[in-house]
């Protein structure tokens, strides 16, 4: 373990290790993915449109399977890039996936609330 990893560990609350933090972030990725997909399709069902051109193309071409394939590809890129980071910094990968998907789900919920 490098000295940088030791510094990172000391700054985490309690006995949380970078591995524990990464597991938590991956769980958050799963929740964010589900929230984004569900709210996206509810919004589409209510007449809203997808604003992300890549997601719009995947959904228009392949429906739910296209959306899930796009999400799987994104997670795959994260998993391929993950080993390039020191262990202490690996939680940034799932955090970088979860945060935008959570924001998208919140925007979707807001837009759905405007329609209802």
């Amino acid at each position: 373990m490098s000295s940088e990893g030791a510094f990172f560990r000391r700054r985490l609350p309690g006995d949380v290790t970078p591995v524990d933090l990464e597991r938590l972030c991956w769980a958050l990725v799963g929740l964010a993915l589900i929230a984004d997909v569900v709210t996206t399709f509810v919004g589409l069902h209510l007449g809203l449109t997808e604003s992300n051109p890549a997601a719009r193309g995947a959904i228009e071409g392949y429906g739910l399977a296209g959306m899930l394939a796009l999400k799987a590809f994104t997670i795959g890129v994260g998993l391929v890039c993950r080993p390039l980071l020191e262990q202490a910094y690996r939680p940034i990968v799932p955090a970088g996936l979860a945060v935008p998907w959570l924001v998208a789900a919140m925007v979707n919920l807001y837009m759905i609330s405007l329609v209802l």
Side-chain angles (χ1 to χ4, degrees):
M1 176 183 229
S2 72
S3 61
E4 290 176 16
F7 175 75
F8 186 76
R9 183 177 177 165
R10 282 192 303 249
R11 296 193 60 187
L12 292 173
D15 292 332
V16 177
T17 66
V19 173
D20 294 336
L21 180 60
E22 185 178 8
R23 284 185 188 136
L24 177 66
C25 287
W26 280 113
L28 193 59
V29 166
L31 292 173
L33 183 148
I34 292 167
D36 185 23
V37 170
V38 168
T39 58
T40 294
F41 280 92
V42 167
L44 292 173
H45 179 72
L46 294 173
L48 298 173
T49 58
E50 174 62 53
S51 62
N52 179 332
R56 184 173 50 245
I59 293 168
E60 287 175 358
Y62 304 98
L64 178 61
M67 178 74 145
L68 293 177
L70 188 61
K71 299 285 187 188
F73 174 76
T74 306
I75 290 172
V77 170
L79 289 172
V80 167
C81 294
R82 183 183 163 273
L84 301 174
L85 299 172
E86 289 185 36
Q87 187 173 7
Y89 299 102
R90 289 181 182 172
I92 194 72
V93 173
L97 294 170
V99 169
W101 290 346
L102 286 172
V103 169
M106 288 187 290
V107 169
N108 290 346
L109 284 172
Y110 173 73
M111 296 303 293
I112 290 167
S113 73
L114 294 178
V115 173
L116 296 179

